[in-house]
Amino acid sequence: MGKSTGVRAQQADQTRARILQAAITVFTRDGYSGGRIEKISAEAESNDRMIYYYFGSKEKLFVKVLEHTYEQFNRAESLLSLDPSTPVQTLRQLVAFVWDYYVSHPEFVAILSIENLHKGKHARQSGELRRLSGEAVGVLRPIIDAGQAQGLFRQDLDIKHVYLMIASLCYFYNSNLHTLSSFLGQDMAAEGERTDWLAFIQDLVMRGVAKAPQTPQV
């Protein structure tokens, strides 16, 4: 009995995971409105009934998609070897991680863009996003604290502002990649363009947090 129960539980977890991944694929490709249940069940090689059984509704499924995409980001970030004792190098490393994650996970950018089009109504239904955002912002705190303790970073920094600066500099480029390429007449997805932008935003973030040099008394 116990073994068969364990197998069924494992199969249920696999079905849920397959539906969730299918939902990410479909919502990323077709948006929330176009991401119909029948498309998701076809992508998952499942059926509509299983989606309703495990998630309740399309709206609740999208809430889980949001939570999952943030959870995956936090999990990848937690694997970094961040050394707060070298705050300048470590902050540059963190900026590079966020940038590279956005570049290599376009579904993350797409899901966030979709949710903003819907004015965050699904995010407000989540009981997990506040915890997940706290984890993301919390990664910065020991780095900033160390930089301030070493006299390298400004004392008046708001940790939330530093987080927003990094997130916005990485997100905007990727969420507007195609329109920026047309508007500026350059392929912003080209490796050289992306490399140059990463170097620029790393320097920009460091300038934003750096303690201003003392002006010598005359």
Side-chain angles (χ1 to χ4, degrees):
M1 178 70 73
K3 184 176 180 180
S4 62
T5 301
V7 170
R8 285 197 298 270
Q10 184 180 27
Q11 289 173 338
D13 288 343
Q14 290 172 347
T15 300
R16 282 176 55 89
R18 196 167 64 248
I19 292 171
L20 189 61
Q21 190 56 55
I24 292 170
T25 299
V26 172
F27 285 135
T28 297
R29 185 187 66 217
D30 300 335
Y32 179 76
S33 299
R36 299 194 299 274
I37 288 292
E38 58 266 29
K39 289 183 178 180
I40 295 170
S41 61
E43 180 73 26
E45 297 182 348
S46 183
N47 57 66
D48 299 359
R49 181 177 61 82
M50 297 304 289
I51 293 178
Y52 289 116
Y53 177 78
Y54 285 114
F55 296 96
S57 67
K58 172 181 166 178
E59 191 166 45
K60 290 179 181 178
L61 174 57
F62 192 78
V63 172
K64 290 299 181 184
V65 164
L66 268 178
E67 292 172 350
H68 179 76
T69 52
Y70 275 108
E71 188 74 63
Q72 291 298 102
F73 174 86
N74 286 3
R75 188 170 297 144
E77 191 174 53
S78 72
L79 298 176
L80 293 174
S81 297
L82 299 174
D83 182 4
S85 69
T86 55
V88 172
Q89 297 93 317
T90 302
L91 187 54
R92 293 181 72 92
Q93 178 189 355
L94 184 59
V95 173
F97 162 78
V98 176
W99 169 254
D100 290 339
Y101 193 90
Y102 279 29
V103 169
S104 59
H105 293 81
E107 74 282 358
F108 185 48
V109 176
I111 294 299
L112 295 185
S113 298
I114 291 166
E115 180 59 3
N116 278 291
L117 284 174
H118 288 267
K119 302 183 186 297
K121 72 173 186 176
H122 304 97
R124 289 192 295 273
Q125 297 174 37
S126 171
E128 289 292 301
L129 283 194
R130 184 60 62 88
R131 174 185 65 83
L132 294 170
S133 68
E135 290 179 11
V137 176
V139 169
L140 266 173
R141 190 168 300 282
I143 302 170
I144 298 301
D145 287 348
Q148 290 173 326
Q150 293 179 30
L152 301 171
F153 295 168
R154 293 161 40 192
Q155 293 297 322
D156 61 344
L157 289 174
D158 184 322
I159 195 78
K160 179 181 64 187
H161 292 166
V162 180
Y163 171 80
L164 288 172
M165 175 169 58
I166 296 170
S168 61
L169 288 169
C170 295
Y171 175 79
F172 178 83
Y173 189 109
N174 287 288
S175 65
N176 294 274
L177 183 64
H178 303 295
T179 50
L180 285 172
S181 294
S182 296
F183 184 71
L184 298 174
Q186 292 178 277
D187 180 10
M188 305 305 288
E191 187 64 32
E193 294 289 345
R194 281 176 159 160
T195 300
D196 288 348
W197 180 250
L198 172 57
F200 180 77
I201 63 177
Q202 284 176 313
D203 289 343
L204 200 59
V205 169
M206 298 316 305
R207 288 170 185 264
V209 301
K211 183 178 180 181
Q214 294 291 326
T215 303
Q217 297 288 335
V218 178

